[in-house]
Amino acid sequence: MDYSYPIDEEYWSKEEIIDVVNFYSLVEKAYENGAKTKDLMLAYERFKQVVPSKSEEKQLFKKFEQSSGYSAYHAVKQAKSSSGTHVNM
């Protein structure tokens, strides 16, 4: 991993940063090896508690995709529509 996660260290608590990083790492996992749908959706729900604004979510997802090449939006979209237990991107 030669990139950093887009996080807001100024306004987020340590716990919130950990939760957001966990979400990003599950998106990576979905792309690299596959992730459990339930785990990804729980992490996304927690991400939404930290980042309730849709516009801020879009900005963070865009920054994450630009730095990593992984689309959090598409991973979450597939997890939402998936009837299976795993998300493989």
Side-chain angles (χ1 to χ4, degrees), residues 16 32 38 64 84:
E16 290 171 331
E32 294 171 1
K38 181 179 175 181
F64 177 70

Side-chain angles (χ1 to χ4, degrees), residues 1 3 25-35 70 88-89:
M1 180 174 95
Y3 54 90
S25 69
L26 280 167
V27 171
E28 287 177 344
K29 189 175 178 182
Y31 274 87
E32 294 171 1
N33 306 318
Y70 301 136
N88 293 305
M89 299 302 293

Side-chain angles (χ1 to χ4, degrees), residues 29-82:
K29 189 175 178 182
Y31 274 87
E32 294 171 1
N33 306 318
K36 290 183 180 179
T37 304
K38 181 179 175 181
D39 291 348
L40 182 58
M41 289 310 300
L42 286 172
Y44 177 66
E45 287 173 17
R46 179 61 185 132
F47 175 87
K48 287 304 295 175
Q49 290 173 354
V50 177
V51 184
S53 163
K54 193 68 170 172
S55 64
E56 186 179 358
E57 174 186 332
K58 286 180 181 182
Q59 290 173 359
L60 290 170
F61 280 10
K62 183 177 180 179
K63 288 178 185 176
F64 177 70
E65 186 170 2
Q66 288 173 339
S67 64
S68 69
Y70 301 136
S71 171
Y73 170 78
H74 286 106
V76 169
K77 183 178 177 183
Q78 183 169 336
K80 284 181 178 179
S81 65
S82 174

